[in-house]
Amino acid sequence: MLEKIGSLASIIGILKEVASFWGLFARKAIRIETTLETGPTTRRSGFTEPAVKITVVNESEHLVKIIDIRLIFCGEYGAPVELEAPPERFHPVLPVDLDSGTQENWYIPAEKLSSLLRFIHRPPSTTIQTSREVKLHARCISGDGRVFKSPAFQFSLDPNSHG
């Protein structure tokens, strides 16, 4: 009986070690959120134009270098964040180091993004242009080459919907 308990304890110990080892890989180091800052709320805050805000949160226990952030709209193609944020906003220049437990925001002007996407997704000239939406997600690449993505969100191609 004691031998069976000893064997069971050994198996449990091994399973705990495997679970701990797997946890190192399974833990997501970066969380990405996207929001569209538009309307009266942004004007009251002093923002002069609508923008897509990308928030990158370092949930790991280590410093993470972020080398690229963009909004992906088609396969691997996307609109990168620019060196300068839209008026009245600030974001760090990439690459940037994020300490454990910290977050930073980056912005892409909504009207500029809308114009680019309307050009890419323009219908043939024989069809009537209607208000459309495209599915986007934010993508972030860390210094060690890991890729992180936000959940997808709908973005309107209608420039009047971002004001």
PDB file of all heavy atoms in Angstrom, residues 6-40:
ATOM      1  N   GLY A   6       3.498   6.010  -2.608  1.00  0.00           N
ATOM      2  CA  GLY A   6       4.766   6.599  -3.052  1.00  0.00           C
ATOM      3  C   GLY A   6       4.794   6.798  -4.557  1.00  0.00           C
ATOM      4  O   GLY A   6       5.239   7.826  -5.053  1.00  0.00           O
ATOM      5  N   SER A   7       4.302   5.822  -5.313  1.00  0.00           N
ATOM      6  CA  SER A   7       4.245   5.930  -6.777  1.00  0.00           C
ATOM      7  C   SER A   7       3.291   7.039  -7.195  1.00  0.00           C
ATOM      8  O   SER A   7       3.581   7.813  -8.114  1.00  0.00           O
ATOM      9  CB  SER A   7       3.797   4.608  -7.394  1.00  0.00           C
ATOM     10  OG  SER A   7       4.733   3.599  -7.142  1.00  0.00           O
ATOM     11  N   LEU A   8       2.152   7.108  -6.515  1.00  0.00           N
ATOM     12  CA  LEU A   8       1.157   8.145  -6.813  1.00  0.00           C
ATOM     13  C   LEU A   8       1.734   9.530  -6.529  1.00  0.00           C
ATOM     14  O   LEU A   8       1.560  10.464  -7.321  1.00  0.00           O
ATOM     15  CB  LEU A   8      -0.124   7.909  -6.006  1.00  0.00           C
ATOM     16  CG  LEU A   8      -1.287   8.847  -6.291  1.00  0.00           C
ATOM     17  CD1 LEU A   8      -1.700   8.744  -7.761  1.00  0.00           C
ATOM     18  CD2 LEU A   8      -2.469   8.530  -5.388  1.00  0.00           C
ATOM     19  N   ALA A   9       2.451   9.666  -5.435  1.00  0.00           N
ATOM     20  CA  ALA A   9       3.076  10.945  -5.093  1.00  0.00           C
ATOM     21  C   ALA A   9       4.125  11.320  -6.146  1.00  0.00           C
ATOM     22  O   ALA A   9       4.247  12.491  -6.527  1.00  0.00           O
ATOM     23  CB  ALA A   9       3.703  10.873  -3.700  1.00  0.00           C
ATOM     24  N   SER A  10       4.864  10.359  -6.633  1.00  0.00           N
ATOM     25  CA  SER A  10       5.864  10.615  -7.672  1.00  0.00           C
ATOM     26  C   SER A  10       5.195  11.087  -8.956  1.00  0.00           C
ATOM     27  O   SER A  10       5.656  12.031  -9.598  1.00  0.00           O
ATOM     28  CB  SER A  10       6.678   9.360  -7.958  1.00  0.00           C
ATOM     29  OG  SER A  10       7.437   8.993  -6.846  1.00  0.00           O
ATOM     30  N   ILE A  11       4.111  10.420  -9.316  1.00  0.00           N
ATOM     31  CA  ILE A  11       3.382  10.796 -10.544  1.00  0.00           C
ATOM     32  C   ILE A  11       2.822  12.202 -10.399  1.00  0.00           C
ATOM     33  O   ILE A  11       2.931  13.024 -11.316  1.00  0.00           O
ATOM     34  CB  ILE A  11       2.276   9.765 -10.844  1.00  0.00           C
ATOM     35  CG1 ILE A  11       2.914   8.435 -11.253  1.00  0.00           C
ATOM     36  CG2 ILE A  11       1.335  10.286 -11.915  1.00  0.00           C
ATOM     37  CD1 ILE A  11       1.934   7.291 -11.393  1.00  0.00           C
ATOM     38  N   ILE A  12       2.242  12.523  -9.241  1.00  0.00           N
ATOM     39  CA  ILE A  12       1.697  13.868  -9.011  1.00  0.00           C
ATOM     40  C   ILE A  12       2.813  14.906  -9.083  1.00  0.00           C
ATOM     41  O   ILE A  12       2.659  15.970  -9.664  1.00  0.00           O
ATOM     42  CB  ILE A  12       0.949  13.919  -7.656  1.00  0.00           C
ATOM     43  CG1 ILE A  12      -0.344  13.103  -7.750  1.00  0.00           C
ATOM     44  CG2 ILE A  12       0.647  15.362  -7.249  1.00  0.00           C
ATOM     45  CD1 ILE A  12      -1.088  12.926  -6.440  1.00  0.00           C
ATOM     46  N   GLY A  13       3.966  14.592  -8.521  1.00  0.00           N
ATOM     47  CA  GLY A  13       5.111  15.504  -8.578  1.00  0.00           C
ATOM     48  C   GLY A  13       5.547  15.775 -10.002  1.00  0.00           C
ATOM     49  O   GLY A  13       5.819  16.913 -10.380  1.00  0.00           O
ATOM     50  N   ILE A  14       5.607  14.731 -10.798  1.00  0.00           N
ATOM     51  CA  ILE A  14       5.996  14.880 -12.209  1.00  0.00           C
ATOM     52  C   ILE A  14       4.965  15.713 -12.954  1.00  0.00           C
ATOM     53  O   ILE A  14       5.313  16.607 -13.731  1.00  0.00           O
ATOM     54  CB  ILE A  14       6.181  13.492 -12.870  1.00  0.00           C
ATOM     55  CG1 ILE A  14       7.417  12.814 -12.289  1.00  0.00           C
ATOM     56  CG2 ILE A  14       6.296  13.633 -14.385  1.00  0.00           C
ATOM     57  CD1 ILE A  14       7.580  11.351 -12.697  1.00  0.00           C
ATOM     58  N   LEU A  15       3.669  15.461 -12.714  1.00  0.00           N
ATOM     59  CA  LEU A  15       2.608  16.230 -13.371  1.00  0.00           C
ATOM     60  C   LEU A  15       2.681  17.704 -12.992  1.00  0.00           C
ATOM     61  O   LEU A  15       2.469  18.583 -13.837  1.00  0.00           O
ATOM     62  CB  LEU A  15       1.236  15.648 -13.034  1.00  0.00           C
ATOM     63  CG  LEU A  15       0.911  14.293 -13.662  1.00  0.00           C
ATOM     64  CD1 LEU A  15      -0.427  13.768 -13.147  1.00  0.00           C
ATOM     65  CD2 LEU A  15       0.902  14.387 -15.180  1.00  0.00           C
ATOM     66  N   LYS A  16       2.993  18.006 -11.733  1.00  0.00           N
ATOM     67  CA  LYS A  16       3.127  19.403 -11.303  1.00  0.00           C
ATOM     68  C   LYS A  16       4.286  20.080 -12.033  1.00  0.00           C
ATOM     69  O   LYS A  16       4.189  21.230 -12.440  1.00  0.00           O
ATOM     70  CB  LYS A  16       3.349  19.471  -9.794  1.00  0.00           C
ATOM     71  CG  LYS A  16       2.092  19.288  -8.981  1.00  0.00           C
ATOM     72  CD  LYS A  16       2.397  19.457  -7.498  1.00  0.00           C
ATOM     73  CE  LYS A  16       1.150  19.307  -6.664  1.00  0.00           C
ATOM     74  NZ  LYS A  16       1.443  19.448  -5.226  1.00  0.00           N
ATOM     75  N   GLU A  17       5.405  19.364 -12.179  1.00  0.00           N
ATOM     76  CA  GLU A  17       6.554  19.930 -12.889  1.00  0.00           C
ATOM     77  C   GLU A  17       6.226  20.196 -14.353  1.00  0.00           C
ATOM     78  O   GLU A  17       6.585  21.234 -14.905  1.00  0.00           O
ATOM     79  CB  GLU A  17       7.758  18.997 -12.775  1.00  0.00           C
ATOM     80  CG  GLU A  17       8.389  18.998 -11.407  1.00  0.00           C
ATOM     81  CD  GLU A  17       9.627  18.113 -11.350  1.00  0.00           C
ATOM     82  OE1 GLU A  17      10.358  18.065 -12.359  1.00  0.00           O
ATOM     83  OE2 GLU A  17       9.832  17.490 -10.298  1.00  0.00           O
ATOM     84  N   VAL A  18       5.527  19.252 -14.994  1.00  0.00           N
ATOM     85  CA  VAL A  18       5.124  19.431 -16.395  1.00  0.00           C
ATOM     86  C   VAL A  18       4.179  20.625 -16.510  1.00  0.00           C
ATOM     87  O   VAL A  18       4.316  21.461 -17.410  1.00  0.00           O
ATOM     88  CB  VAL A  18       4.483  18.141 -16.963  1.00  0.00           C
ATOM     89  CG1 VAL A  18       3.824  18.401 -18.303  1.00  0.00           C
ATOM     90  CG2 VAL A  18       5.527  17.040 -17.075  1.00  0.00           C
ATOM     91  N   ALA A  19       3.214  20.743 -15.596  1.00  0.00           N
ATOM     92  CA  ALA A  19       2.258  21.851 -15.628  1.00  0.00           C
ATOM     93  C   ALA A  19       2.977  23.181 -15.426  1.00  0.00           C
ATOM     94  O   ALA A  19       2.673  24.171 -16.094  1.00  0.00           O
ATOM     95  CB  ALA A  19       1.182  21.655 -14.566  1.00  0.00           C
ATOM     96  N   SER A  20       3.933  23.216 -14.512  1.00  0.00           N
ATOM     97  CA  SER A  20       4.697  24.435 -14.271  1.00  0.00           C
ATOM     98  C   SER A  20       5.511  24.808 -15.508  1.00  0.00           C
ATOM     99  O   SER A  20       5.547  25.970 -15.915  1.00  0.00           O
ATOM    100  CB  SER A  20       5.620  24.225 -13.075  1.00  0.00           C
ATOM    101  OG  SER A  20       6.460  25.338 -12.909  1.00  0.00           O
ATOM    102  N   PHE A  21       6.159  23.827 -16.120  1.00  0.00           N
ATOM    103  CA  PHE A  21       6.945  24.064 -17.331  1.00  0.00           C
ATOM    104  C   PHE A  21       6.045  24.550 -18.463  1.00  0.00           C
ATOM    105  O   PHE A  21       6.359  25.509 -19.158  1.00  0.00           O
ATOM    106  CB  PHE A  21       7.665  22.771 -17.727  1.00  0.00           C
ATOM    107  CG  PHE A  21       8.513  22.907 -18.958  1.00  0.00           C
ATOM    108  CD1 PHE A  21       9.711  23.604 -18.909  1.00  0.00           C
ATOM    109  CD2 PHE A  21       8.120  22.345 -20.162  1.00  0.00           C
ATOM    110  CE1 PHE A  21      10.510  23.728 -20.029  1.00  0.00           C
ATOM    111  CE2 PHE A  21       8.915  22.462 -21.289  1.00  0.00           C
ATOM    112  CZ  PHE A  21      10.106  23.157 -21.224  1.00  0.00           C
ATOM    113  N   TRP A  22       4.880  23.924 -18.633  1.00  0.00           N
ATOM    114  CA  TRP A  22       3.943  24.326 -19.688  1.00  0.00           C
ATOM    115  C   TRP A  22       3.421  25.725 -19.433  1.00  0.00           C
ATOM    116  O   TRP A  22       3.212  26.505 -20.351  1.00  0.00           O
ATOM    117  CB  TRP A  22       2.788  23.329 -19.777  1.00  0.00           C
ATOM    118  CG  TRP A  22       1.804  23.730 -20.823  1.00  0.00           C
ATOM    119  CD1 TRP A  22       0.551  24.215 -20.623  1.00  0.00           C
ATOM    120  CD2 TRP A  22       2.000  23.724 -22.238  1.00  0.00           C
ATOM    121  NE1 TRP A  22      -0.045  24.507 -21.811  1.00  0.00           N
ATOM    122  CE2 TRP A  22       0.828  24.215 -22.826  1.00  0.00           C
ATOM    123  CE3 TRP A  22       3.061  23.357 -23.061  1.00  0.00           C
ATOM    124  CZ2 TRP A  22       0.673  24.346 -24.192  1.00  0.00           C
ATOM    125  CZ3 TRP A  22       2.907  23.489 -24.439  1.00  0.00           C
ATOM    126  CH2 TRP A  22       1.727  23.969 -24.972  1.00  0.00           C
ATOM    127  N   GLY A  23       3.234  26.079 -18.170  1.00  0.00           N
ATOM    128  CA  GLY A  23       2.743  27.413 -17.814  1.00  0.00           C
ATOM    129  C   GLY A  23       3.662  28.521 -18.284  1.00  0.00           C
ATOM    130  O   GLY A  23       3.215  29.613 -18.614  1.00  0.00           O
ATOM    131  N   LEU A  24       4.962  28.246 -18.332  1.00  0.00           N
ATOM    132  CA  LEU A  24       5.895  29.247 -18.834  1.00  0.00           C
ATOM    133  C   LEU A  24       5.604  29.601 -20.281  1.00  0.00           C
ATOM    134  O   LEU A  24       5.760  30.732 -20.702  1.00  0.00           O
ATOM    135  CB  LEU A  24       7.335  28.737 -18.717  1.00  0.00           C
ATOM    136  CG  LEU A  24       7.887  28.560 -17.309  1.00  0.00           C
ATOM    137  CD1 LEU A  24       9.263  27.910 -17.378  1.00  0.00           C
ATOM    138  CD2 LEU A  24       7.947  29.891 -16.594  1.00  0.00           C
ATOM    139  N   PHE A  25       5.182  28.615 -21.066  1.00  0.00           N
ATOM    140  CA  PHE A  25       4.905  28.848 -22.480  1.00  0.00           C
ATOM    141  C   PHE A  25       3.467  29.272 -22.720  1.00  0.00           C
ATOM    142  O   PHE A  25       3.182  30.007 -23.650  1.00  0.00           O
ATOM    143  CB  PHE A  25       5.216  27.591 -23.296  1.00  0.00           C
ATOM    144  CG  PHE A  25       6.670  27.250 -23.283  1.00  0.00           C
ATOM    145  CD1 PHE A  25       7.148  26.227 -22.482  1.00  0.00           C
ATOM    146  CD2 PHE A  25       7.566  27.972 -24.037  1.00  0.00           C
ATOM    147  CE1 PHE A  25       8.491  25.924 -22.457  1.00  0.00           C
ATOM    148  CE2 PHE A  25       8.917  27.680 -24.015  1.00  0.00           C
ATOM    149  CZ  PHE A  25       9.383  26.652 -23.223  1.00  0.00           C
ATOM    150  N   ALA A  26       2.562  28.779 -21.904  1.00  0.00           N
ATOM    151  CA  ALA A  26       1.139  29.050 -22.124  1.00  0.00           C
ATOM    152  C   ALA A  26       0.749  30.453 -21.692  1.00  0.00           C
ATOM    153  O   ALA A  26      -0.227  30.995 -22.178  1.00  0.00           O
ATOM    154  CB  ALA A  26       0.296  28.018 -21.381  1.00  0.00           C
ATOM    155  N   ARG A  27       1.495  31.056 -20.766  1.00  0.00           N
ATOM    156  CA  ARG A  27       1.148  32.378 -20.265  1.00  0.00           C
ATOM    157  C   ARG A  27       1.331  33.414 -21.360  1.00  0.00           C
ATOM    158  O   ARG A  27       2.375  33.500 -21.992  1.00  0.00           O
ATOM    159  CB  ARG A  27       2.028  32.730 -19.075  1.00  0.00           C
ATOM    160  CG  ARG A  27       1.583  33.987 -18.399  1.00  0.00           C
ATOM    161  CD  ARG A  27       2.411  34.273 -17.192  1.00  0.00           C
ATOM    162  NE  ARG A  27       2.803  33.050 -16.534  1.00  0.00           N
ATOM    163  CZ  ARG A  27       3.805  32.966 -15.695  1.00  0.00           C
ATOM    164  NH1 ARG A  27       4.499  34.021 -15.399  1.00  0.00           N
ATOM    165  NH2 ARG A  27       4.129  31.829 -15.143  1.00  0.00           N
ATOM    166  N   LYS A  28       0.320  34.205 -21.578  1.00  0.00           N
ATOM    167  CA  LYS A  28       0.389  35.247 -22.589  1.00  0.00           C
ATOM    168  C   LYS A  28       1.083  36.463 -21.999  1.00  0.00           C
ATOM    169  O   LYS A  28       0.683  36.962 -20.959  1.00  0.00           O
ATOM    170  CB  LYS A  28      -1.025  35.594 -23.063  1.00  0.00           C
ATOM    171  CG  LYS A  28      -1.063  36.509 -24.236  1.00  0.00           C
ATOM    172  CD  LYS A  28      -2.468  36.631 -24.749  1.00  0.00           C
ATOM    173  CE  LYS A  28      -2.493  37.510 -25.974  1.00  0.00           C
ATOM    174  NZ  LYS A  28      -3.826  37.670 -26.495  1.00  0.00           N
ATOM    175  N   ALA A  29       2.129  36.921 -22.635  1.00  0.00           N
ATOM    176  CA  ALA A  29       2.914  38.022 -22.102  1.00  0.00           C
ATOM    177  C   ALA A  29       2.296  39.384 -22.423  1.00  0.00           C
ATOM    178  O   ALA A  29       2.439  40.317 -21.656  1.00  0.00           O
ATOM    179  CB  ALA A  29       4.334  37.963 -22.651  1.00  0.00           C
ATOM    180  N   ILE A  30       1.610  39.493 -23.539  1.00  0.00           N
ATOM    181  CA  ILE A  30       1.095  40.773 -23.998  1.00  0.00           C
ATOM    182  C   ILE A  30      -0.409  40.664 -24.235  1.00  0.00           C
ATOM    183  O   ILE A  30      -0.887  39.699 -24.820  1.00  0.00           O
ATOM    184  CB  ILE A  30       1.776  41.180 -25.332  1.00  0.00           C
ATOM    185  CG1 ILE A  30       3.279  41.380 -25.137  1.00  0.00           C
ATOM    186  CG2 ILE A  30       1.142  42.422 -25.929  1.00  0.00           C
ATOM    187  CD1 ILE A  30       3.656  42.536 -24.258  1.00  0.00           C
ATOM    188  N   ARG A  31      -1.135  41.680 -23.778  1.00  0.00           N
ATOM    189  CA  ARG A  31      -2.573  41.793 -24.086  1.00  0.00           C
ATOM    190  C   ARG A  31      -2.751  43.083 -24.875  1.00  0.00           C
ATOM    191  O   ARG A  31      -2.178  44.112 -24.526  1.00  0.00           O
ATOM    192  CB  ARG A  31      -3.396  41.831 -22.800  1.00  0.00           C
ATOM    193  CG  ARG A  31      -4.885  41.967 -23.048  1.00  0.00           C
ATOM    194  CD  ARG A  31      -5.706  41.820 -21.771  1.00  0.00           C
ATOM    195  NE  ARG A  31      -5.163  42.499 -20.611  1.00  0.00           N
ATOM    196  CZ  ARG A  31      -5.454  43.751 -20.258  1.00  0.00           C
ATOM    197  NH1 ARG A  31      -6.262  44.479 -20.991  1.00  0.00           N
ATOM    198  NH2 ARG A  31      -4.921  44.265 -19.172  1.00  0.00           N
ATOM    199  N   ILE A  32      -3.530  42.999 -25.949  1.00  0.00           N
ATOM    200  CA  ILE A  32      -3.756  44.161 -26.805  1.00  0.00           C
ATOM    201  C   ILE A  32      -5.247  44.456 -26.855  1.00  0.00           C
ATOM    202  O   ILE A  32      -6.063  43.555 -27.068  1.00  0.00           O
ATOM    203  CB  ILE A  32      -3.241  43.921 -28.242  1.00  0.00           C
ATOM    204  CG1 ILE A  32      -1.775  43.496 -28.211  1.00  0.00           C
ATOM    205  CG2 ILE A  32      -3.413  45.174 -29.087  1.00  0.00           C
ATOM    206  CD1 ILE A  32      -1.258  43.071 -29.562  1.00  0.00           C
ATOM    207  N   GLU A  33      -5.590  45.733 -26.665  1.00  0.00           N
ATOM    208  CA  GLU A  33      -6.971  46.185 -26.761  1.00  0.00           C
ATOM    209  C   GLU A  33      -7.039  47.302 -27.794  1.00  0.00           C
ATOM    210  O   GLU A  33      -6.094  48.079 -27.934  1.00  0.00           O
ATOM    211  CB  GLU A  33      -7.450  46.712 -25.410  1.00  0.00           C
ATOM    212  CG  GLU A  33      -7.377  45.702 -24.293  1.00  0.00           C
ATOM    213  CD  GLU A  33      -7.592  46.343 -22.929  1.00  0.00           C
ATOM    214  OE1 GLU A  33      -7.701  47.576 -22.832  1.00  0.00           O
ATOM    215  OE2 GLU A  33      -7.638  45.580 -21.954  1.00  0.00           O
ATOM    216  N   THR A  34      -8.156  47.390 -28.497  1.00  0.00           N
ATOM    217  CA  THR A  34      -8.349  48.485 -29.443  1.00  0.00           C
ATOM    218  C   THR A  34      -9.671  49.167 -29.145  1.00  0.00           C
ATOM    219  O   THR A  34     -10.660  48.516 -28.816  1.00  0.00           O
ATOM    220  CB  THR A  34      -8.369  47.979 -30.905  1.00  0.00           C
ATOM    221  OG1 THR A  34      -9.341  46.951 -31.019  1.00  0.00           O
ATOM    222  CG2 THR A  34      -7.019  47.463 -31.326  1.00  0.00           C
ATOM    223  N   THR A  35      -9.678  50.493 -29.236  1.00  0.00           N
ATOM    224  CA  THR A  35     -10.897  51.276 -29.072  1.00  0.00           C
ATOM    225  C   THR A  35     -10.858  52.405 -30.087  1.00  0.00           C
ATOM    226  O   THR A  35      -9.784  52.856 -30.500  1.00  0.00           O
ATOM    227  CB  THR A  35     -11.023  51.871 -27.658  1.00  0.00           C
ATOM    228  OG1 THR A  35      -9.843  52.602 -27.356  1.00  0.00           O
ATOM    229  CG2 THR A  35     -11.245  50.796 -26.613  1.00  0.00           C
ATOM    230  N   LEU A  36     -12.030  52.852 -30.473  1.00  0.00           N
ATOM    231  CA  LEU A  36     -12.138  53.987 -31.385  1.00  0.00           C
ATOM    232  C   LEU A  36     -12.553  55.197 -30.567  1.00  0.00           C
ATOM    233  O   LEU A  36     -13.619  55.192 -29.948  1.00  0.00           O
ATOM    234  CB  LEU A  36     -13.164  53.697 -32.485  1.00  0.00           C
ATOM    235  CG  LEU A  36     -13.350  54.778 -33.542  1.00  0.00           C
ATOM    236  CD1 LEU A  36     -12.052  55.051 -34.303  1.00  0.00           C
ATOM    237  CD2 LEU A  36     -14.445  54.385 -34.516  1.00  0.00           C
ATOM    238  N   GLU A  37     -11.684  56.187 -30.506  1.00  0.00           N
ATOM    239  CA  GLU A  37     -11.992  57.417 -29.783  1.00  0.00           C
ATOM    240  C   GLU A  37     -12.674  58.374 -30.745  1.00  0.00           C
ATOM    241  O   GLU A  37     -12.042  58.902 -31.650  1.00  0.00           O
ATOM    242  CB  GLU A  37     -10.717  58.049 -29.233  1.00  0.00           C
ATOM    243  CG  GLU A  37     -10.056  57.232 -28.164  1.00  0.00           C
ATOM    244  CD  GLU A  37      -8.843  57.929 -27.584  1.00  0.00           C
ATOM    245  OE1 GLU A  37      -8.272  58.820 -28.238  1.00  0.00           O
ATOM    246  OE2 GLU A  37      -8.462  57.571 -26.466  1.00  0.00           O
ATOM    247  N   THR A  38     -13.979  58.588 -30.558  1.00  0.00           N
ATOM    248  CA  THR A  38     -14.735  59.460 -31.459  1.00  0.00           C
ATOM    249  C   THR A  38     -15.760  60.275 -30.677  1.00  0.00           C
ATOM    250  O   THR A  38     -16.005  60.030 -29.508  1.00  0.00           O
ATOM    251  CB  THR A  38     -15.518  58.653 -32.505  1.00  0.00           C
ATOM    252  OG1 THR A  38     -16.473  57.844 -31.823  1.00  0.00           O
ATOM    253  CG2 THR A  38     -14.622  57.797 -33.347  1.00  0.00           C
ATOM    254  N   GLY A  39     -16.390  61.198 -31.394  1.00  0.00           N
ATOM    255  CA  GLY A  39     -17.549  61.904 -30.879  1.00  0.00           C
ATOM    256  C   GLY A  39     -17.255  62.925 -29.800  1.00  0.00           C
ATOM    257  O   GLY A  39     -16.117  63.335 -29.586  1.00  0.00           O
ATOM    258  N   PRO A  40     -18.317  63.348 -29.109  1.00  0.00           N
ATOM    259  CA  PRO A  40     -18.223  64.432 -28.124  1.00  0.00           C
ATOM    260  C   PRO A  40     -17.233  64.141 -26.995  1.00  0.00           C
ATOM    261  O   PRO A  40     -16.587  65.044 -26.487  1.00  0.00           O
ATOM    262  CB  PRO A  40     -19.640  64.542 -27.562  1.00  0.00           C
ATOM    263  CG  PRO A  40     -20.516  63.832 -28.522  1.00  0.00           C
ATOM    264  CD  PRO A  40     -19.676  62.856 -29.255  1.00  0.00           C
TER     265      PRO A  40
END
